[in-house]
Amino acid sequence: MIHAMTKILNKNSLIFIVAIILGIALIFYETISFNNEFLQLKNKKAVALVNDVVISEDQFLKYASNLGADIQPEDDVEILELLLERMIEEELLVQRGIELDLHKKDIGVRKEMIKQVIDFIIQVEKNQVNEEDIRDFYNENIGKYTPTEKIQFQSIYINSLNKESVLLGTESDLKTLQPKLLKLYDELKTTDFLEIKSKFDENNFFEVPNKLINIKDCNLLFGKSICNQIASLNLDEVSEPIFFDNGYFIFKLVDRIKQEIDEKYYNEIKEKIIFDYNNGLDDEKLKNYLKYLKDNSEIIRYTF
């Protein structure tokens, strides 16, 4: 009986000793793992670890900078902690989004991701712009930058008598205005156009600028057809009635200039040229990167 109890005690003691050894080993392992993890974070200059994803000090500073925060670490510990908490929350949401496959299922998420990737590709290598390249680009695309003609005109607008008529804008419609138009044109022979305008004009839907404007701006107001008719007039010539909306415009061409393509003009549009040049380089970068991705990917196209 005593021998049996001694045997049991020895067995229990052995188990206890083994358990102590295992416990010490586990604590030692956890300590070593923690220290290694801490050292890795320290080497990476990490500010947080979220489900094995490191938030680096560099990421944190960029995040704060993008929010417009002007932070002095020794004075703004509370603000830093708030910003870090927000970064952690955003990282958790990003991780959850990936778990839910939102980048595969949600069109909005995919579009935003594509946009961010494109922006990243373009920004990785900033365009180096020099004067010679800009000049060459300008000369190769001179047609695109040819200045449009500028015109200045005055106008008188006469409403049609029946705006609901199916004949609106036709010869029959115009004939109903003949008495008024004959009187108007007759007075124009001896009276200034603007004086006649104050007497006859019925335009109350928009103001026609009485200054030099680009043909393109004119097109926005009246459409290309009408502006071409105005531009074809001789200086001080008055047009025939031209149908517009619910009535007729009568135009007088006051001035016309075409800008010289010279150094002054080049300097005036230089910012636009640089913008277009950079856009062209960015498009080429994206095109080349997409080709690289296709060449290094396995793509199977199925017939429809």
Side-chain angles (χ1 to χ4, degrees):
M1 180 75 174
I2 293 172
H3 177 72
M5 287 181 67
T6 302
K7 191 173 181 181
I8 292 170
L9 285 171
N10 288 338
K11 186 177 180 182
N12 288 339
S13 296
L14 181 62
I15 293 171
F16 179 70
I17 291 168
V18 169
I20 289 173
I21 293 171
L22 287 174
I24 292 170
L26 185 61
I27 291 170
F28 180 75
Y29 174 78
E30 290 291 337
T31 303
I32 294 297
S33 297
F34 175 79
N35 287 335
N36 285 339
E37 189 176 89
F38 178 77
L39 287 172
Q40 285 178 358
L41 289 176
K42 190 174 180 181
N43 290 334
K44 292 179 181 178
K45 292 187 177 179
V47 293
L49 186 68
V50 184
N51 294 328
D52 295 328
V53 175
V54 173
I55 298 177
S56 70
E57 184 180 40
D58 184 54
Q59 287 174 310
F60 179 72
L61 292 174
K62 285 180 180 177
Y63 182 82
S65 176
N66 287 337
L67 291 177
D70 183 16
I71 295 171
Q72 300 298 324
E74 63 275 11
D75 301 326
D76 299 303
V77 175
E78 192 173 327
I79 296 175
L80 289 170
E81 288 177 350
L82 286 172
L83 287 174
L84 180 57
E85 194 63 29
R86 181 168 171 179
M87 276 195 83
I88 291 170
E89 290 169 354
E90 289 185 5
E91 177 58 36
L92 288 169
L93 290 172
V94 168
Q95 292 178 17
R96 184 57 179 152
I98 293 170
E99 289 173 7
L100 294 171
D101 282 342
L102 291 184
H103 57 297
K104 297 178 182 179
K105 300 173 183 176
D106 190 289
I107 294 175
V109 173
R110 285 177 61 85
K111 283 183 177 179
E112 185 59 29
M113 181 179 287
I114 291 167
K115 179 181 179 300
Q116 292 300 324
V117 171
I118 291 173
D119 288 345
F120 175 78
I121 293 166
I122 289 171
Q123 291 172 11
V124 164
E125 183 183 346
K126 291 186 177 180
N127 299 330
Q128 300 297 318
V129 179
N130 60 64
E131 182 63 23
E132 185 179 353
D133 290 337
I134 297 300
R135 288 275 182 181
D136 289 343
F137 178 79
Y138 170 67
N139 291 327
E140 289 168 7
N141 298 275
I142 191 69
K144 180 179 179 180
Y145 300 106
T146 301
T148 59
E149 190 175 44
K150 287 187 176 182
I151 56 175
Q152 181 179 355
F153 53 88
Q154 296 165 350
S155 66
I156 299 171
Y157 187 75
I158 307 295
N159 283 314
S160 290
L161 295 180
N162 186 359
K163 296 178 183 179
E164 305 300 323
S165 172
V166 294
L167 299 175
L168 189 67
T170 65
E171 286 293 327
S172 298
D173 180 44
L174 188 58
K175 283 180 180 178
T176 63
L177 295 173
Q178 279 304 311
K180 182 183 286 188
L181 291 173
L182 287 172
K183 184 173 178 15
L184 185 155
Y185 278 103
D186 188 55
E187 291 190 22
L188 278 174
K189 294 175 183 176
T190 56
T191 311
D192 182 71
F193 190 91
L194 291 179
E195 191 176 330
I196 300 297
K197 177 183 177 73
S198 65
K199 183 177 178 180
F200 286 90
D201 189 47
E202 297 171 340
N203 173 18
N204 55 12
F205 43 90
F206 63 77
E207 184 178 351
V208 178
N210 187 22
K211 63 180 182 179
L212 282 165
I213 62 171
N214 287 315
I215 290 288
K216 289 179 181 178
D217 294 329
C218 178
N219 292 343
L220 293 175
L221 288 172
F222 300 106
K224 198 169 184 178
S225 175
I226 290 178
C227 291
N228 285 341
Q229 292 181 67
I230 298 171
S232 67
L233 295 171
N234 295 318
L235 289 181
D236 295 325
E237 182 181 358
V238 177
S239 73
E240 295 295 320
I242 300 173
F243 181 72
F244 182 85
D245 197 34
N246 291 318
Y248 296 84
F249 266 114
I250 296 165
F251 296 101
K252 177 185 177 181
L253 186 64
V254 177
D255 197 5
R256 175 196 289 118
I257 63 168
K258 190 164 186 177
Q259 188 165 357
E260 294 291 329
I261 304 177
D262 53 15
E263 191 67 14
K264 181 182 176 184
Y265 175 68
Y266 169 79
N267 288 324
E268 285 178 0
I269 64 168
K270 189 172 181 179
E271 284 189 15
K272 175 172 172 51
I273 298 169
I274 293 173
F275 178 81
D276 292 344
Y277 175 75
N278 282 326
N279 271 352
L281 292 181
D282 292 344
D283 289 345
E284 193 64 27
K285 279 185 202 172
L286 180 58
K287 183 179 176 182
N288 291 337
Y289 192 75
L290 287 171
K291 183 179 184 306
Y292 166 79
L293 290 177
K294 289 179 181 178
D295 291 344
N296 292 275
S297 301
E298 185 178 342
I299 301 171
I300 300 173
R301 292 179 176 83
Y302 297 100
T303 56
F304 293 101

